Amino acid sequence: CVTRVELSVACEHLLDRDVGSKSDPLCVLLQDVGGDRWAELDRTERIKNCQKPEFSKKFIIDYYFEKVQKLKFGIYDIDNKSFDLNDDDYLGGIECTLGQIVSSSVFTRPLEMKKGKPAGKGTITISAEEIKDARVVYLEIEARNLDKKDFLGKSDPFLELYKQTDAGKWQLVYRSEVIKNNLNPCWRKFSVPLQTFCGGDFNKPIKVQCADHDSDGSHDLIGSFETNLTQLQEAGGSSPVEFGCIHPEKKQKKKSYKNSGIIRIKSCKIERDYSFLDYVMGGCQINFTVGIDFTGSNGDPKSPDSLHYISPDGINPYLIAIWSVGSVVQDYDTDKLFPAFGFGAQVPPSWQVSHEFALNFNPSNPYCQGIQGIVDAYRQILPQLRLYGPTNFSPIINHVARFAAHSLQQGNASQYFVLLIITDGEITDLDQTRQAIVNASKLPMSIIIVGVGEADFKAMEFLDGDGGVLRSLTGEPATRDIVQFVPFRQFKNAPREALSQMVLAEVPKQLVSYYKLQGWPP
């Protein structure tokens, strides 16, 4: 029985690493995956010029009472666009367990550069809250006639929403985008889990604060007001709810002061948020397909230094990847029939190069019985192939996409497709693959790429899209991130389940995000 926990992070007295301005911090959360290895779970937004950040983005994590869940929080000063944190200044971090956080109502620790070496006076505060409610609040807010705060232009307004904690403190629940140079802004629609928003209490005080954004971090308050969810809910359709935005000092000084602008709640809706398990228990099947790279760059399977060489104890990187990922996924597929394909080899009898041949040599029925069936087919076919090239991913992605597109016609959340590609990483048809992934992002499917061997996997990391949205050659963006890339070499000495955990971590989120976009309940 899993409890979901939401972690809020704030820091104080961060080190200054920027010359002439304050640091631009971001917090990253890592989880111990065994064997002294850490996998990134998530990261917050970056806050510019701030030594005392309160991060708006929350971490959601599954809490298991029976496991010691080691966590590492790292604060980085981000001064570039790259996703990689190795080129950013480290402002300190802490290691702790999830148990320590949930068992203390407020968990504050000094930040450390490394064990025993403090990061100046920097501290981190993490507060945890159990998520018991699956409902979500959707809000649309605009303002008019806001006070002008900038000497040369109009104000650059943004919103912050706070809830009052049981101790009476205000805790940030949402921070909007900044709208430049506009006294009548209309912010984009946003959603906050009901639990985060008000702990499920419709009468809990909510403070809405509007401020003028300054790039040096010294934002000026325009005004604020207090309300609660019961009041906000009256908004909708043609009757928005309006509040005067009040600046307390101005109100004290001037008898005639009315407000510093009007904030209008255009709509406030509460909807249920479905989880991965809701979909699975509702009957969604996960269809698993495997694609195996048989190109020449893997090396001759008879030679011990080949990635396809089967060792005396009967394994190689390809087999380990098939086993560890397949053994988890197979539980979610009732018929246990998995299509398996190879690409990049010359195939008998004509010895033509094929980029999607059935591992069982039966193109009309490429299904293998269970994960063991895939392993047996792989072992049988290996001596009969000539490893060749080029390395083309797009045919096999398009193959699975055709099935996913066909299942779409059912118009419900009943079929989802996961394609596992295992490769040594030298991709030839990068442009066609980008297009295939962008097309597939509109379909109920996810792609997992496991990179084996010691190659440079830059192209794979690019396809993963973590560093920004993947675009096709024509500039069309993927509608959602569906590719997860994992280098096998990171898991050489780690326990088997570490690979499958890392590889499959994204699939539930991707499945839920797809059905949410479609608006389909379980």
PDB file of all heavy atoms in Angstrom, residues 126 167 179 212 234 269 308 335 347 375 392 395 415 435 458 463 522:
ATOM      1  N   ILE A 126      12.295  21.383   4.263  1.00  0.00           N
ATOM      2  CA  ILE A 126      11.431  20.535   3.450  1.00  0.00           C
ATOM      3  C   ILE A 126      10.200  20.196   4.277  1.00  0.00           C
ATOM      4  O   ILE A 126      10.322  19.726   5.410  1.00  0.00           O
ATOM      5  CB  ILE A 126      12.163  19.237   3.054  1.00  0.00           C
ATOM      6  CG1 ILE A 126      13.458  19.572   2.329  1.00  0.00           C
ATOM      7  CG2 ILE A 126      11.279  18.366   2.171  1.00  0.00           C
ATOM      8  CD1 ILE A 126      14.499  18.486   2.394  1.00  0.00           C
ATOM      9  N   ALA A 167      -0.128  26.092  11.555  1.00  0.00           N
ATOM     10  CA  ALA A 167       0.648  26.925  12.488  1.00  0.00           C
ATOM     11  C   ALA A 167       0.426  28.417  12.212  1.00  0.00           C
ATOM     12  O   ALA A 167       1.048  29.269  12.843  1.00  0.00           O
ATOM     13  CB  ALA A 167       2.123  26.584  12.364  1.00  0.00           C
ATOM     14  N   ILE A 179       3.813  38.624 -16.653  1.00  0.00           N
ATOM     15  CA  ILE A 179       3.342  39.245 -17.899  1.00  0.00           C
ATOM     16  C   ILE A 179       3.957  40.635 -17.970  1.00  0.00           C
ATOM     17  O   ILE A 179       3.740  41.482 -17.103  1.00  0.00           O
ATOM     18  CB  ILE A 179       1.805  39.288 -17.954  1.00  0.00           C
ATOM     19  CG1 ILE A 179       1.288  37.842 -17.993  1.00  0.00           C
ATOM     20  CG2 ILE A 179       1.340  40.083 -19.169  1.00  0.00           C
ATOM     21  CD1 ILE A 179      -0.192  37.692 -18.169  1.00  0.00           C
ATOM     22  N   ASP A 212       4.957  43.199  -8.748  1.00  0.00           N
ATOM     23  CA  ASP A 212       5.648  43.655  -9.959  1.00  0.00           C
ATOM     24  C   ASP A 212       7.025  43.001  -9.982  1.00  0.00           C
ATOM     25  O   ASP A 212       7.800  43.165  -9.046  1.00  0.00           O
ATOM     26  CB  ASP A 212       5.762  45.186  -9.916  1.00  0.00           C
ATOM     27  CG  ASP A 212       6.700  45.725 -10.988  1.00  0.00           C
ATOM     28  OD1 ASP A 212       6.734  45.155 -12.092  1.00  0.00           O
ATOM     29  OD2 ASP A 212       7.409  46.716 -10.707  1.00  0.00           O
ATOM     30  N   GLU A 234     -17.459  30.385  -6.669  1.00  0.00           N
ATOM     31  CA  GLU A 234     -18.643  31.057  -7.217  1.00  0.00           C
ATOM     32  C   GLU A 234     -18.380  31.577  -8.623  1.00  0.00           C
ATOM     33  O   GLU A 234     -19.300  31.971  -9.338  1.00  0.00           O
ATOM     34  CB  GLU A 234     -19.067  32.204  -6.284  1.00  0.00           C
ATOM     35  CG  GLU A 234     -19.635  31.689  -4.958  1.00  0.00           C
ATOM     36  CD  GLU A 234     -19.718  32.776  -3.891  1.00  0.00           C
ATOM     37  OE1 GLU A 234     -19.612  33.972  -4.246  1.00  0.00           O
ATOM     38  OE2 GLU A 234     -19.884  32.432  -2.699  1.00  0.00           O
ATOM     39  N   LYS A 269     -12.738  25.651 -11.264  1.00  0.00           N
ATOM     40  CA  LYS A 269     -13.388  24.337 -11.369  1.00  0.00           C
ATOM     41  C   LYS A 269     -12.595  23.319 -10.562  1.00  0.00           C
ATOM     42  O   LYS A 269     -11.374  23.425 -10.449  1.00  0.00           O
ATOM     43  CB  LYS A 269     -13.405  23.860 -12.826  1.00  0.00           C
ATOM     44  CG  LYS A 269     -14.334  24.632 -13.743  1.00  0.00           C
ATOM     45  CD  LYS A 269     -14.567  23.804 -15.019  1.00  0.00           C
ATOM     46  CE  LYS A 269     -15.378  24.549 -16.066  1.00  0.00           C
ATOM     47  NZ  LYS A 269     -14.616  25.645 -16.677  1.00  0.00           N
ATOM     48  N   HIS A 308      26.854  -8.627 -28.562  1.00  0.00           N
ATOM     49  CA  HIS A 308      25.909  -9.739 -28.750  1.00  0.00           C
ATOM     50  C   HIS A 308      26.513 -11.100 -28.326  1.00  0.00           C
ATOM     51  O   HIS A 308      25.857 -12.123 -28.451  1.00  0.00           O
ATOM     52  CB  HIS A 308      25.460  -9.829 -30.213  1.00  0.00           C
ATOM     53  CG  HIS A 308      24.346  -8.880 -30.557  1.00  0.00           C
ATOM     54  ND1 HIS A 308      23.090  -8.970 -30.005  1.00  0.00           N
ATOM     55  CD2 HIS A 308      24.306  -7.812 -31.395  1.00  0.00           C
ATOM     56  CE1 HIS A 308      22.324  -8.000 -30.504  1.00  0.00           C
ATOM     57  NE2 HIS A 308      23.037  -7.285 -31.343  1.00  0.00           N
ATOM     58  N   ASP A 335      -2.493 -11.206 -22.461  1.00  0.00           N
ATOM     59  CA  ASP A 335      -2.232 -12.358 -23.342  1.00  0.00           C
ATOM     60  C   ASP A 335      -0.764 -12.792 -23.335  1.00  0.00           C
ATOM     61  O   ASP A 335      -0.431 -13.872 -23.816  1.00  0.00           O
ATOM     62  CB  ASP A 335      -2.720 -12.095 -24.775  1.00  0.00           C
ATOM     63  CG  ASP A 335      -1.954 -10.969 -25.465  1.00  0.00           C
ATOM     64  OD1 ASP A 335      -0.917 -10.524 -24.918  1.00  0.00           O
ATOM     65  OD2 ASP A 335      -2.383 -10.534 -26.547  1.00  0.00           O
ATOM     66  N   VAL A 347      19.265 -10.616 -43.667  1.00  0.00           N
ATOM     67  CA  VAL A 347      18.425 -11.713 -43.210  1.00  0.00           C
ATOM     68  C   VAL A 347      18.318 -12.783 -44.299  1.00  0.00           C
ATOM     69  O   VAL A 347      18.117 -12.455 -45.469  1.00  0.00           O
ATOM     70  CB  VAL A 347      17.015 -11.174 -42.872  1.00  0.00           C
ATOM     71  CG1 VAL A 347      16.121 -12.276 -42.345  1.00  0.00           C
ATOM     72  CG2 VAL A 347      17.118 -10.046 -41.842  1.00  0.00           C
ATOM     73  N   VAL A 375      13.480 -14.212 -25.454  1.00  0.00           N
ATOM     74  CA  VAL A 375      14.863 -14.644 -25.204  1.00  0.00           C
ATOM     75  C   VAL A 375      15.209 -15.857 -26.077  1.00  0.00           C
ATOM     76  O   VAL A 375      16.269 -15.910 -26.709  1.00  0.00           O
ATOM     77  CB  VAL A 375      15.039 -14.978 -23.704  1.00  0.00           C
ATOM     78  CG1 VAL A 375      16.359 -15.676 -23.447  1.00  0.00           C
ATOM     79  CG2 VAL A 375      14.946 -13.695 -22.870  1.00  0.00           C
ATOM     80  N   ASN A 392      18.721   2.151 -38.441  1.00  0.00           N
ATOM     81  CA  ASN A 392      17.513   2.957 -38.633  1.00  0.00           C
ATOM     82  C   ASN A 392      16.462   2.604 -37.582  1.00  0.00           C
ATOM     83  O   ASN A 392      16.039   1.458 -37.494  1.00  0.00           O
ATOM     84  CB  ASN A 392      16.926   2.725 -40.036  1.00  0.00           C
ATOM     85  CG  ASN A 392      17.832   3.297 -41.121  1.00  0.00           C
ATOM     86  OD1 ASN A 392      18.813   3.980 -40.826  1.00  0.00           O
ATOM     87  ND2 ASN A 392      17.499   3.021 -42.367  1.00  0.00           N
ATOM     88  N   PRO A 395      11.683   2.845 -38.864  1.00  0.00           N
ATOM     89  CA  PRO A 395      10.717   1.823 -39.311  1.00  0.00           C
ATOM     90  C   PRO A 395      10.020   1.126 -38.148  1.00  0.00           C
ATOM     91  O   PRO A 395       8.801   0.914 -38.184  1.00  0.00           O
ATOM     92  CB  PRO A 395      11.588   0.836 -40.106  1.00  0.00           C
ATOM     93  CG  PRO A 395      12.755   1.644 -40.564  1.00  0.00           C
ATOM     94  CD  PRO A 395      13.017   2.631 -39.462  1.00  0.00           C
ATOM     95  N   GLN A 415      -5.907   0.607 -24.449  1.00  0.00           N
ATOM     96  CA  GLN A 415      -4.661   0.039 -24.989  1.00  0.00           C
ATOM     97  C   GLN A 415      -3.565   1.095 -24.948  1.00  0.00           C
ATOM     98  O   GLN A 415      -3.754   2.196 -25.464  1.00  0.00           O
ATOM     99  CB  GLN A 415      -4.841  -0.366 -26.466  1.00  0.00           C
ATOM    100  CG  GLN A 415      -5.970  -1.323 -26.737  1.00  0.00           C
ATOM    101  CD  GLN A 415      -5.570  -2.769 -26.463  1.00  0.00           C
ATOM    102  OE1 GLN A 415      -4.393  -3.112 -26.490  1.00  0.00           O
ATOM    103  NE2 GLN A 415      -6.548  -3.597 -26.191  1.00  0.00           N
ATOM    104  N   GLN A 435      11.018  12.744 -36.636  1.00  0.00           N
ATOM    105  CA  GLN A 435       9.658  12.892 -37.165  1.00  0.00           C
ATOM    106  C   GLN A 435       8.751  11.781 -36.628  1.00  0.00           C
ATOM    107  O   GLN A 435       7.609  12.020 -36.227  1.00  0.00           O
ATOM    108  CB  GLN A 435       9.675  12.865 -38.695  1.00  0.00           C
ATOM    109  CG  GLN A 435       8.328  13.164 -39.345  1.00  0.00           C
ATOM    110  CD  GLN A 435       7.822  14.575 -39.023  1.00  0.00           C
ATOM    111  OE1 GLN A 435       8.509  15.559 -39.280  1.00  0.00           O
ATOM    112  NE2 GLN A 435       6.625  14.674 -38.447  1.00  0.00           N
ATOM    113  N   LYS A 458      25.087  10.841 -27.406  1.00  0.00           N
ATOM    114  CA  LYS A 458      24.553  12.208 -27.535  1.00  0.00           C
ATOM    115  C   LYS A 458      23.213  12.233 -28.287  1.00  0.00           C
ATOM    116  O   LYS A 458      22.279  12.917 -27.893  1.00  0.00           O
ATOM    117  CB  LYS A 458      25.549  13.102 -28.280  1.00  0.00           C
ATOM    118  CG  LYS A 458      26.696  13.637 -27.428  1.00  0.00           C
ATOM    119  CD  LYS A 458      26.268  14.865 -26.621  1.00  0.00           C
ATOM    120  CE  LYS A 458      27.423  15.465 -25.835  1.00  0.00           C
ATOM    121  NZ  LYS A 458      27.859  14.630 -24.700  1.00  0.00           N
ATOM    122  N   LEU A 463      17.161  12.739 -28.249  1.00  0.00           N
ATOM    123  CA  LEU A 463      15.807  12.209 -28.488  1.00  0.00           C
ATOM    124  C   LEU A 463      14.989  12.154 -27.204  1.00  0.00           C
ATOM    125  O   LEU A 463      13.765  12.251 -27.227  1.00  0.00           O
ATOM    126  CB  LEU A 463      15.882  10.796 -29.095  1.00  0.00           C
ATOM    127  CG  LEU A 463      16.499  10.696 -30.497  1.00  0.00           C
ATOM    128  CD1 LEU A 463      16.618   9.237 -30.912  1.00  0.00           C
ATOM    129  CD2 LEU A 463      15.673  11.464 -31.519  1.00  0.00           C
ATOM    130  N   PRO A 522     -10.584   6.531 -16.849  1.00  0.00           N
ATOM    131  CA  PRO A 522     -10.291   5.096 -16.909  1.00  0.00           C
ATOM    132  C   PRO A 522     -11.522   4.316 -17.363  1.00  0.00           C
ATOM    133  O   PRO A 522     -12.636   4.724 -17.074  1.00  0.00           O
ATOM    134  CB  PRO A 522      -9.930   4.743 -15.459  1.00  0.00           C
ATOM    135  CG  PRO A 522      -9.520   6.029 -14.842  1.00  0.00           C
ATOM    136  CD  PRO A 522     -10.315   7.090 -15.514  1.00  0.00           C
TER     137      PRO A 522
END
